[in-house]
Amino acid sequence: ACGITQSGVLSELSGDAVFFGVPAEEYVELAYRNKLIKEGKLHFLTGKGQLIYEGAFDDIDMAMQMHADKNMPAATVSIGESSNGFIGKTIQYVGKTAHAASCPEKGINALNSVIKLFNGIDALRQHVTPDVKMHGIITKGGAAANIVPGEAVADFYFRASTKERLSEVVEKVKKIAEGAALMTGATLEMERYELPYDDLKTNEKLSELFNNNLRELGITDIKEAKATGGSSDIGNVSYVTATIHPYIGLTDCPMVGHSVEMANSTITDKAHDRLLIAALAMAYT
């Protein structure tokens, strides 16, 4: 909608407008990802990171993206939102299988390493700043209860308000993971399974212009920026060009993000009106 709006006036402007359609914004399926990496076709695991790597933003002077917000009234826009730095890690332990009853002493329990990893990360939580988020799942923990697990795998997300702090947290987690391997005798492999997202650096001048255009469109309830626990690859873009990522309220009803209720709200007349406001505000800016 924004691109269509701009197309009618491009001849009157002194620059170009570029519309990016971004595939694989958040995740590339694991097996397909590994295939592309081995073939040398994929370097980053989200759309904008790959586009940056390929030079798509090299001659871009400013970038804008808008997001529907789940917790704002429909007449509201939020400017200058934060977006945490993010990295996803797969942590794999390899031990040795053995019969858990007749000869457990011959086995090396990889699952014990994962359990100690979780306990170590839980202990770390009380020694990090409030912006740091750490959440994980066990994706592989053994084949049967009477077999000492020879392989165990956990996937973790780590987030922080800056990529510098994120790097510090991941380094601490790496030491915890190494300690868990030492305690059991298992071997450790750690690799990222999604592109590290950078934290968002909002460009204040561009944000001010956007604010003014919102008022011209009759949107006067403009909220101050608030901290968010989420992450987006728009943060990576903000490190290479002037960037804003405003949020626009979708309905007047509280919703849970990434839910059926959120999806249903996007096909209402009110949501369509919000789309037009968002498109016009970006086009004017």
PDB file of all heavy atoms in Angstrom, residues 18 20 48 52 55-65 198-204 206 233-245:
ATOM      1  N   VAL A  18      12.217   2.262  -2.623  1.00  0.00           N
ATOM      2  CA  VAL A  18      12.423   0.829  -2.838  1.00  0.00           C
ATOM      3  C   VAL A  18      11.528   0.052  -1.878  1.00  0.00           C
ATOM      4  O   VAL A  18      11.508   0.324  -0.677  1.00  0.00           O
ATOM      5  CB  VAL A  18      13.898   0.436  -2.592  1.00  0.00           C
ATOM      6  CG1 VAL A  18      14.102  -1.058  -2.829  1.00  0.00           C
ATOM      7  CG2 VAL A  18      14.823   1.244  -3.491  1.00  0.00           C
ATOM      8  N   PHE A  20      10.909  -3.526  -0.226  1.00  0.00           N
ATOM      9  CA  PHE A  20      11.527  -4.829   0.014  1.00  0.00           C
ATOM     10  C   PHE A  20      10.460  -5.815   0.494  1.00  0.00           C
ATOM     11  O   PHE A  20       9.816  -5.600   1.513  1.00  0.00           O
ATOM     12  CB  PHE A  20      12.609  -4.736   1.101  1.00  0.00           C
ATOM     13  CG  PHE A  20      13.880  -4.077   0.654  1.00  0.00           C
ATOM     14  CD1 PHE A  20      14.151  -2.769   1.003  1.00  0.00           C
ATOM     15  CD2 PHE A  20      14.810  -4.769  -0.103  1.00  0.00           C
ATOM     16  CE1 PHE A  20      15.326  -2.157   0.600  1.00  0.00           C
ATOM     17  CE2 PHE A  20      15.982  -4.167  -0.510  1.00  0.00           C
ATOM     18  CZ  PHE A  20      16.248  -2.855  -0.159  1.00  0.00           C
ATOM     19  N   LYS A  48      16.210 -10.072   6.238  1.00  0.00           N
ATOM     20  CA  LYS A  48      16.905  -8.790   6.165  1.00  0.00           C
ATOM     21  C   LYS A  48      18.415  -8.966   6.338  1.00  0.00           C
ATOM     22  O   LYS A  48      19.205  -8.256   5.717  1.00  0.00           O
ATOM     23  CB  LYS A  48      16.349  -7.819   7.207  1.00  0.00           C
ATOM     24  CG  LYS A  48      14.881  -7.456   6.991  1.00  0.00           C
ATOM     25  CD  LYS A  48      14.418  -6.419   7.988  1.00  0.00           C
ATOM     26  CE  LYS A  48      12.917  -6.194   7.925  1.00  0.00           C
ATOM     27  NZ  LYS A  48      12.139  -7.318   8.486  1.00  0.00           N
ATOM     28  N   ILE A  52      21.088  -7.649   3.648  1.00  0.00           N
ATOM     29  CA  ILE A  52      22.206  -6.774   4.009  1.00  0.00           C
ATOM     30  C   ILE A  52      23.513  -7.377   3.526  1.00  0.00           C
ATOM     31  O   ILE A  52      24.357  -6.694   2.935  1.00  0.00           O
ATOM     32  CB  ILE A  52      22.241  -6.534   5.532  1.00  0.00           C
ATOM     33  CG1 ILE A  52      21.041  -5.690   5.964  1.00  0.00           C
ATOM     34  CG2 ILE A  52      23.542  -5.833   5.945  1.00  0.00           C
ATOM     35  CD1 ILE A  52      20.853  -5.638   7.469  1.00  0.00           C
ATOM     36  N   GLY A  55      24.202  -6.845  -0.029  1.00  0.00           N
ATOM     37  CA  GLY A  55      24.399  -5.463  -0.470  1.00  0.00           C
ATOM     38  C   GLY A  55      23.135  -4.725  -0.843  1.00  0.00           C
ATOM     39  O   GLY A  55      23.208  -3.613  -1.400  1.00  0.00           O
ATOM     40  N   ALA A  56      21.972  -5.292  -0.534  1.00  0.00           N
ATOM     41  CA  ALA A  56      20.719  -4.660  -0.951  1.00  0.00           C
ATOM     42  C   ALA A  56      20.504  -3.298  -0.305  1.00  0.00           C
ATOM     43  O   ALA A  56      19.805  -2.449  -0.862  1.00  0.00           O
ATOM     44  CB  ALA A  56      19.541  -5.580  -0.629  1.00  0.00           C
ATOM     45  N   PHE A  57      21.106  -3.066   0.879  1.00  0.00           N
ATOM     46  CA  PHE A  57      20.910  -1.798   1.583  1.00  0.00           C
ATOM     47  C   PHE A  57      22.090  -0.832   1.413  1.00  0.00           C
ATOM     48  O   PHE A  57      22.121   0.210   2.059  1.00  0.00           O
ATOM     49  CB  PHE A  57      20.679  -2.059   3.077  1.00  0.00           C
ATOM     50  CG  PHE A  57      19.308  -2.586   3.398  1.00  0.00           C
ATOM     51  CD1 PHE A  57      19.061  -3.946   3.402  1.00  0.00           C
ATOM     52  CD2 PHE A  57      18.260  -1.716   3.682  1.00  0.00           C
ATOM     53  CE1 PHE A  57      17.798  -4.441   3.692  1.00  0.00           C
ATOM     54  CE2 PHE A  57      16.999  -2.196   3.978  1.00  0.00           C
ATOM     55  CZ  PHE A  57      16.765  -3.570   3.970  1.00  0.00           C
ATOM     56  N   ASP A  58      23.024  -1.167   0.534  1.00  0.00           N
ATOM     57  CA  ASP A  58      24.230  -0.347   0.410  1.00  0.00           C
ATOM     58  C   ASP A  58      23.933   1.087  -0.019  1.00  0.00           C
ATOM     59  O   ASP A  58      24.638   2.018   0.380  1.00  0.00           O
ATOM     60  CB  ASP A  58      25.205  -0.989  -0.588  1.00  0.00           C
ATOM     61  CG  ASP A  58      25.880  -2.230  -0.017  1.00  0.00           C
ATOM     62  OD1 ASP A  58      25.666  -2.522   1.180  1.00  0.00           O
ATOM     63  OD2 ASP A  58      26.602  -2.912  -0.769  1.00  0.00           O
ATOM     64  N   ASP A  59      22.928   1.291  -0.855  1.00  0.00           N
ATOM     65  CA  ASP A  59      22.620   2.646  -1.341  1.00  0.00           C
ATOM     66  C   ASP A  59      21.282   3.143  -0.806  1.00  0.00           C
ATOM     67  O   ASP A  59      20.660   4.035  -1.388  1.00  0.00           O
ATOM     68  CB  ASP A  59      22.629   2.681  -2.875  1.00  0.00           C
ATOM     69  CG  ASP A  59      21.608   1.736  -3.489  1.00  0.00           C
ATOM     70  OD1 ASP A  59      21.042   0.903  -2.735  1.00  0.00           O
ATOM     71  OD2 ASP A  59      21.374   1.815  -4.709  1.00  0.00           O
ATOM     72  N   ILE A  60      20.839   2.577   0.302  1.00  0.00           N
ATOM     73  CA  ILE A  60      19.575   2.992   0.917  1.00  0.00           C
ATOM     74  C   ILE A  60      19.877   4.008   2.020  1.00  0.00           C
ATOM     75  O   ILE A  60      20.684   3.751   2.914  1.00  0.00           O
ATOM     76  CB  ILE A  60      18.818   1.787   1.510  1.00  0.00           C
ATOM     77  CG1 ILE A  60      18.511   0.759   0.414  1.00  0.00           C
ATOM     78  CG2 ILE A  60      17.546   2.237   2.211  1.00  0.00           C
ATOM     79  CD1 ILE A  60      17.592   1.269  -0.677  1.00  0.00           C
ATOM     80  N   ASP A  61      19.241   5.184   1.953  1.00  0.00           N
ATOM     81  CA  ASP A  61      19.516   6.262   2.907  1.00  0.00           C
ATOM     82  C   ASP A  61      18.624   6.215   4.138  1.00  0.00           C
ATOM     83  O   ASP A  61      18.959   6.786   5.179  1.00  0.00           O
ATOM     84  CB  ASP A  61      19.353   7.624   2.223  1.00  0.00           C
ATOM     85  CG  ASP A  61      20.347   7.790   1.075  1.00  0.00           C
ATOM     86  OD1 ASP A  61      21.550   7.658   1.325  1.00  0.00           O
ATOM     87  OD2 ASP A  61      19.895   8.031  -0.055  1.00  0.00           O
ATOM     88  N   MET A  62      17.466   5.583   4.034  1.00  0.00           N
ATOM     89  CA  MET A  62      16.561   5.489   5.187  1.00  0.00           C
ATOM     90  C   MET A  62      15.631   4.304   4.972  1.00  0.00           C
ATOM     91  O   MET A  62      15.340   3.932   3.829  1.00  0.00           O
ATOM     92  CB  MET A  62      15.746   6.754   5.375  1.00  0.00           C
ATOM     93  CG  MET A  62      15.011   7.216   4.130  1.00  0.00           C
ATOM     94  SD  MET A  62      13.987   8.670   4.390  1.00  0.00           S
ATOM     95  CE  MET A  62      12.480   7.899   4.972  1.00  0.00           C
ATOM     96  N   ALA A  63      15.197   3.702   6.083  1.00  0.00           N
ATOM     97  CA  ALA A  63      14.318   2.537   5.992  1.00  0.00           C
ATOM     98  C   ALA A  63      13.216   2.651   7.038  1.00  0.00           C
ATOM     99  O   ALA A  63      13.443   3.154   8.138  1.00  0.00           O
ATOM    100  CB  ALA A  63      15.112   1.244   6.206  1.00  0.00           C
ATOM    101  N   MET A  64      12.030   2.181   6.676  1.00  0.00           N
ATOM    102  CA  MET A  64      10.886   2.215   7.589  1.00  0.00           C
ATOM    103  C   MET A  64      10.155   0.882   7.551  1.00  0.00           C
ATOM    104  O   MET A  64      10.033   0.267   6.497  1.00  0.00           O
ATOM    105  CB  MET A  64       9.911   3.330   7.190  1.00  0.00           C
ATOM    106  CG  MET A  64      10.445   4.728   7.383  1.00  0.00           C
ATOM    107  SD  MET A  64       9.266   5.966   6.778  1.00  0.00           S
ATOM    108  CE  MET A  64       9.408   5.734   5.003  1.00  0.00           C
ATOM    109  N   GLN A  65       9.662   0.481   8.710  1.00  0.00           N
ATOM    110  CA  GLN A  65       8.826  -0.706   8.820  1.00  0.00           C
ATOM    111  C   GLN A  65       7.787  -0.428   9.888  1.00  0.00           C
ATOM    112  O   GLN A  65       8.075   0.214  10.897  1.00  0.00           O
ATOM    113  CB  GLN A  65       9.682  -1.910   9.226  1.00  0.00           C
ATOM    114  CG  GLN A  65       8.901  -3.144   9.610  1.00  0.00           C
ATOM    115  CD  GLN A  65       9.801  -4.307   9.973  1.00  0.00           C
ATOM    116  OE1 GLN A  65      10.567  -4.783   9.139  1.00  0.00           O
ATOM    117  NE2 GLN A  65       9.730  -4.764  11.219  1.00  0.00           N
ATOM    118  N   ASP A 198      20.414  -7.631  15.720  1.00  0.00           N
ATOM    119  CA  ASP A 198      20.942  -6.471  16.440  1.00  0.00           C
ATOM    120  C   ASP A 198      19.794  -5.742  17.128  1.00  0.00           C
ATOM    121  O   ASP A 198      18.644  -5.817  16.706  1.00  0.00           O
ATOM    122  CB  ASP A 198      21.639  -5.505  15.469  1.00  0.00           C
ATOM    123  CG  ASP A 198      22.933  -6.086  14.915  1.00  0.00           C
ATOM    124  OD1 ASP A 198      23.503  -6.978  15.561  1.00  0.00           O
ATOM    125  OD2 ASP A 198      23.358  -5.639  13.836  1.00  0.00           O
ATOM    126  N   ASP A 199      20.134  -5.009  18.201  1.00  0.00           N
ATOM    127  CA  ASP A 199      19.138  -4.146  18.826  1.00  0.00           C
ATOM    128  C   ASP A 199      18.806  -2.990  17.889  1.00  0.00           C
ATOM    129  O   ASP A 199      19.619  -2.602  17.052  1.00  0.00           O
ATOM    130  CB  ASP A 199      19.668  -3.606  20.158  1.00  0.00           C
ATOM    131  CG  ASP A 199      21.020  -2.950  20.015  1.00  0.00           C
ATOM    132  OD1 ASP A 199      22.000  -3.652  19.681  1.00  0.00           O
ATOM    133  OD2 ASP A 199      21.122  -1.728  20.228  1.00  0.00           O
ATOM    134  N   LEU A 200      17.608  -2.454  18.020  1.00  0.00           N
ATOM    135  CA  LEU A 200      17.139  -1.390  17.126  1.00  0.00           C
ATOM    136  C   LEU A 200      17.671  -0.031  17.561  1.00  0.00           C
ATOM    137  O   LEU A 200      17.523   0.361  18.714  1.00  0.00           O
ATOM    138  CB  LEU A 200      15.607  -1.363  17.118  1.00  0.00           C
ATOM    139  CG  LEU A 200      14.940  -0.229  16.326  1.00  0.00           C
ATOM    140  CD1 LEU A 200      15.270  -0.333  14.849  1.00  0.00           C
ATOM    141  CD2 LEU A 200      13.432  -0.250  16.544  1.00  0.00           C
ATOM    142  N   LYS A 201      18.278   0.694  16.619  1.00  0.00           N
ATOM    143  CA  LYS A 201      18.730   2.067  16.834  1.00  0.00           C
ATOM    144  C   LYS A 201      17.786   3.001  16.082  1.00  0.00           C
ATOM    145  O   LYS A 201      17.917   3.200  14.879  1.00  0.00           O
ATOM    146  CB  LYS A 201      20.169   2.246  16.322  1.00  0.00           C
ATOM    147  CG  LYS A 201      21.194   1.298  16.941  1.00  0.00           C
ATOM    148  CD  LYS A 201      21.436   1.611  18.399  1.00  0.00           C
ATOM    149  CE  LYS A 201      22.592   0.792  18.955  1.00  0.00           C
ATOM    150  NZ  LYS A 201      22.769   0.979  20.414  1.00  0.00           N
ATOM    151  N   THR A 202      16.812   3.558  16.795  1.00  0.00           N
ATOM    152  CA  THR A 202      15.832   4.441  16.153  1.00  0.00           C
ATOM    153  C   THR A 202      16.480   5.765  15.769  1.00  0.00           C
ATOM    154  O   THR A 202      17.143   6.401  16.584  1.00  0.00           O
ATOM    155  CB  THR A 202      14.649   4.706  17.101  1.00  0.00           C
ATOM    156  OG1 THR A 202      13.967   3.477  17.333  1.00  0.00           O
ATOM    157  CG2 THR A 202      13.680   5.720  16.504  1.00  0.00           C
ATOM    158  N   ASN A 203      16.276   6.196  14.529  1.00  0.00           N
ATOM    159  CA  ASN A 203      16.782   7.483  14.074  1.00  0.00           C
ATOM    160  C   ASN A 203      15.802   8.576  14.504  1.00  0.00           C
ATOM    161  O   ASN A 203      14.643   8.597  14.072  1.00  0.00           O
ATOM    162  CB  ASN A 203      16.941   7.489  12.549  1.00  0.00           C
ATOM    163  CG  ASN A 203      17.523   8.779  12.033  1.00  0.00           C
ATOM    164  OD1 ASN A 203      16.796   9.739  11.793  1.00  0.00           O
ATOM    165  ND2 ASN A 203      18.830   8.807  11.858  1.00  0.00           N
ATOM    166  N   GLU A 204      16.244   9.477  15.369  1.00  0.00           N
ATOM    167  CA  GLU A 204      15.344  10.454  15.985  1.00  0.00           C
ATOM    168  C   GLU A 204      14.786  11.456  14.970  1.00  0.00           C
ATOM    169  O   GLU A 204      13.624  11.855  15.056  1.00  0.00           O
ATOM    170  CB  GLU A 204      16.071  11.195  17.112  1.00  0.00           C
ATOM    171  CG  GLU A 204      16.491  10.290  18.263  1.00  0.00           C
ATOM    172  CD  GLU A 204      15.319   9.579  18.907  1.00  0.00           C
ATOM    173  OE1 GLU A 204      14.212  10.135  18.900  1.00  0.00           O
ATOM    174  OE2 GLU A 204      15.512   8.455  19.413  1.00  0.00           O
ATOM    175  N   LEU A 206      14.251  10.998  11.718  1.00  0.00           N
ATOM    176  CA  LEU A 206      13.256  10.309  10.910  1.00  0.00           C
ATOM    177  C   LEU A 206      11.985  10.057  11.722  1.00  0.00           C
ATOM    178  O   LEU A 206      10.864  10.190  11.209  1.00  0.00           O
ATOM    179  CB  LEU A 206      13.840   8.979  10.412  1.00  0.00           C
ATOM    180  CG  LEU A 206      13.045   8.181   9.385  1.00  0.00           C
ATOM    181  CD1 LEU A 206      12.704   9.030   8.173  1.00  0.00           C
ATOM    182  CD2 LEU A 206      13.828   6.940   8.971  1.00  0.00           C
ATOM    183  N   ASP A 233      14.684  -8.446  12.942  1.00  0.00           N
ATOM    184  CA  ASP A 233      15.851  -8.187  12.099  1.00  0.00           C
ATOM    185  C   ASP A 233      15.845  -6.767  11.531  1.00  0.00           C
ATOM    186  O   ASP A 233      16.799  -6.380  10.854  1.00  0.00           O
ATOM    187  CB  ASP A 233      15.983  -9.223  10.981  1.00  0.00           C
ATOM    188  CG  ASP A 233      14.743  -9.359  10.123  1.00  0.00           C
ATOM    189  OD1 ASP A 233      13.763  -8.620  10.351  1.00  0.00           O
ATOM    190  OD2 ASP A 233      14.748 -10.211   9.211  1.00  0.00           O
ATOM    191  N   ILE A 234      14.821  -5.954  11.844  1.00  0.00           N
ATOM    192  CA  ILE A 234      14.898  -4.531  11.505  1.00  0.00           C
ATOM    193  C   ILE A 234      16.028  -3.877  12.290  1.00  0.00           C
ATOM    194  O   ILE A 234      16.591  -2.855  11.869  1.00  0.00           O
ATOM    195  CB  ILE A 234      13.546  -3.825  11.783  1.00  0.00           C
ATOM    196  CG1 ILE A 234      13.513  -2.409  11.158  1.00  0.00           C
ATOM    197  CG2 ILE A 234      13.254  -3.759  13.262  1.00  0.00           C
ATOM    198  CD1 ILE A 234      13.544  -2.387   9.664  1.00  0.00           C
ATOM    199  N   GLY A 235      16.385  -4.456  13.438  1.00  0.00           N
ATOM    200  CA  GLY A 235      17.528  -3.956  14.202  1.00  0.00           C
ATOM    201  C   GLY A 235      18.810  -4.014  13.399  1.00  0.00           C
ATOM    202  O   GLY A 235      19.632  -3.095  13.455  1.00  0.00           O
ATOM    203  N   ASN A 236      19.002  -5.076  12.618  1.00  0.00           N
ATOM    204  CA  ASN A 236      20.188  -5.186  11.770  1.00  0.00           C
ATOM    205  C   ASN A 236      20.223  -4.069  10.738  1.00  0.00           C
ATOM    206  O   ASN A 236      21.281  -3.498  10.453  1.00  0.00           O
ATOM    207  CB  ASN A 236      20.200  -6.545  11.066  1.00  0.00           C
ATOM    208  CG  ASN A 236      20.235  -7.711  12.026  1.00  0.00           C
ATOM    209  OD1 ASN A 236      19.331  -7.864  12.837  1.00  0.00           O
ATOM    210  ND2 ASN A 236      21.256  -8.535  11.960  1.00  0.00           N
ATOM    211  N   VAL A 237      19.053  -3.745  10.191  1.00  0.00           N
ATOM    212  CA  VAL A 237      18.967  -2.667   9.202  1.00  0.00           C
ATOM    213  C   VAL A 237      19.366  -1.337   9.835  1.00  0.00           C
ATOM    214  O   VAL A 237      20.030  -0.507   9.212  1.00  0.00           O
ATOM    215  CB  VAL A 237      17.550  -2.591   8.609  1.00  0.00           C
ATOM    216  CG1 VAL A 237      17.424  -1.408   7.647  1.00  0.00           C
ATOM    217  CG2 VAL A 237      17.190  -3.890   7.907  1.00  0.00           C
ATOM    218  N   SER A 238      18.982  -1.132  11.094  1.00  0.00           N
ATOM    219  CA  SER A 238      19.255   0.151  11.758  1.00  0.00           C
ATOM    220  C   SER A 238      20.734   0.398  11.978  1.00  0.00           C
ATOM    221  O   SER A 238      21.138   1.527  12.254  1.00  0.00           O
ATOM    222  CB  SER A 238      18.503   0.223  13.098  1.00  0.00           C
ATOM    223  OG  SER A 238      19.102  -0.587  14.091  1.00  0.00           O
ATOM    224  N   TYR A 239      21.552  -0.638  11.845  1.00  0.00           N
ATOM    225  CA  TYR A 239      23.002  -0.471  11.965  1.00  0.00           C
ATOM    226  C   TYR A 239      23.653  -0.086  10.638  1.00  0.00           C
ATOM    227  O   TYR A 239      24.835   0.256  10.606  1.00  0.00           O
ATOM    228  CB  TYR A 239      23.649  -1.745  12.512  1.00  0.00           C
ATOM    229  CG  TYR A 239      23.696  -1.792  14.029  1.00  0.00           C
ATOM    230  CD1 TYR A 239      22.569  -2.125  14.767  1.00  0.00           C
ATOM    231  CD2 TYR A 239      24.864  -1.481  14.714  1.00  0.00           C
ATOM    232  CE1 TYR A 239      22.598  -2.159  16.150  1.00  0.00           C
ATOM    233  CE2 TYR A 239      24.906  -1.515  16.097  1.00  0.00           C
ATOM    234  CZ  TYR A 239      23.777  -1.848  16.810  1.00  0.00           C
ATOM    235  OH  TYR A 239      23.812  -1.872  18.195  1.00  0.00           O
ATOM    236  N   VAL A 240      22.888  -0.143   9.536  1.00  0.00           N
ATOM    237  CA  VAL A 240      23.475   0.196   8.234  1.00  0.00           C
ATOM    238  C   VAL A 240      22.814   1.408   7.584  1.00  0.00           C
ATOM    239  O   VAL A 240      23.361   1.974   6.636  1.00  0.00           O
ATOM    240  CB  VAL A 240      23.433  -1.006   7.261  1.00  0.00           C
ATOM    241  CG1 VAL A 240      24.254  -2.152   7.807  1.00  0.00           C
ATOM    242  CG2 VAL A 240      22.002  -1.456   6.983  1.00  0.00           C
ATOM    243  N   THR A 241      21.638   1.834   8.087  1.00  0.00           N
ATOM    244  CA  THR A 241      21.000   3.033   7.537  1.00  0.00           C
ATOM    245  C   THR A 241      20.006   3.588   8.565  1.00  0.00           C
ATOM    246  O   THR A 241      19.628   2.896   9.504  1.00  0.00           O
ATOM    247  CB  THR A 241      20.264   2.718   6.214  1.00  0.00           C
ATOM    248  OG1 THR A 241      19.901   3.926   5.567  1.00  0.00           O
ATOM    249  CG2 THR A 241      19.017   1.883   6.444  1.00  0.00           C
ATOM    250  N   ALA A 242      19.617   4.855   8.375  1.00  0.00           N
ATOM    251  CA  ALA A 242      18.649   5.476   9.286  1.00  0.00           C
ATOM    252  C   ALA A 242      17.336   4.707   9.244  1.00  0.00           C
ATOM    253  O   ALA A 242      16.777   4.484   8.167  1.00  0.00           O
ATOM    254  CB  ALA A 242      18.428   6.932   8.893  1.00  0.00           C
ATOM    255  N   THR A 243      16.830   4.330  10.421  1.00  0.00           N
ATOM    256  CA  THR A 243      15.707   3.390  10.477  1.00  0.00           C
ATOM    257  C   THR A 243      14.714   3.775  11.570  1.00  0.00           C
ATOM    258  O   THR A 243      15.107   4.250  12.637  1.00  0.00           O
ATOM    259  CB  THR A 243      16.225   1.966  10.761  1.00  0.00           C
ATOM    260  OG1 THR A 243      17.153   1.580   9.740  1.00  0.00           O
ATOM    261  CG2 THR A 243      15.088   0.953  10.796  1.00  0.00           C
ATOM    262  N   ILE A 244      13.418   3.563  11.283  1.00  0.00           N
ATOM    263  CA  ILE A 244      12.397   3.609  12.332  1.00  0.00           C
ATOM    264  C   ILE A 244      11.504   2.379  12.202  1.00  0.00           C
ATOM    265  O   ILE A 244      11.367   1.797  11.123  1.00  0.00           O
ATOM    266  CB  ILE A 244      11.526   4.891  12.272  1.00  0.00           C
ATOM    267  CG1 ILE A 244      10.862   5.038  10.890  1.00  0.00           C
ATOM    268  CG2 ILE A 244      12.339   6.117  12.638  1.00  0.00           C
ATOM    269  CD1 ILE A 244       9.838   6.161  10.842  1.00  0.00           C
ATOM    270  N   HIS A 245      10.890   2.019  13.315  1.00  0.00           N
ATOM    271  CA  HIS A 245      10.004   0.858  13.352  1.00  0.00           C
ATOM    272  C   HIS A 245       8.827   1.166  14.272  1.00  0.00           C
ATOM    273  O   HIS A 245       8.747   0.677  15.400  1.00  0.00           O
ATOM    274  CB  HIS A 245      10.784  -0.369  13.854  1.00  0.00           C
ATOM    275  CG  HIS A 245       9.951  -1.620  13.925  1.00  0.00           C
ATOM    276  ND1 HIS A 245      10.314  -2.686  14.710  1.00  0.00           N
ATOM    277  CD2 HIS A 245       8.782  -1.969  13.341  1.00  0.00           C
ATOM    278  CE1 HIS A 245       9.406  -3.643  14.609  1.00  0.00           C
ATOM    279  NE2 HIS A 245       8.466  -3.226  13.778  1.00  0.00           N
TER     280      HIS A 245
END
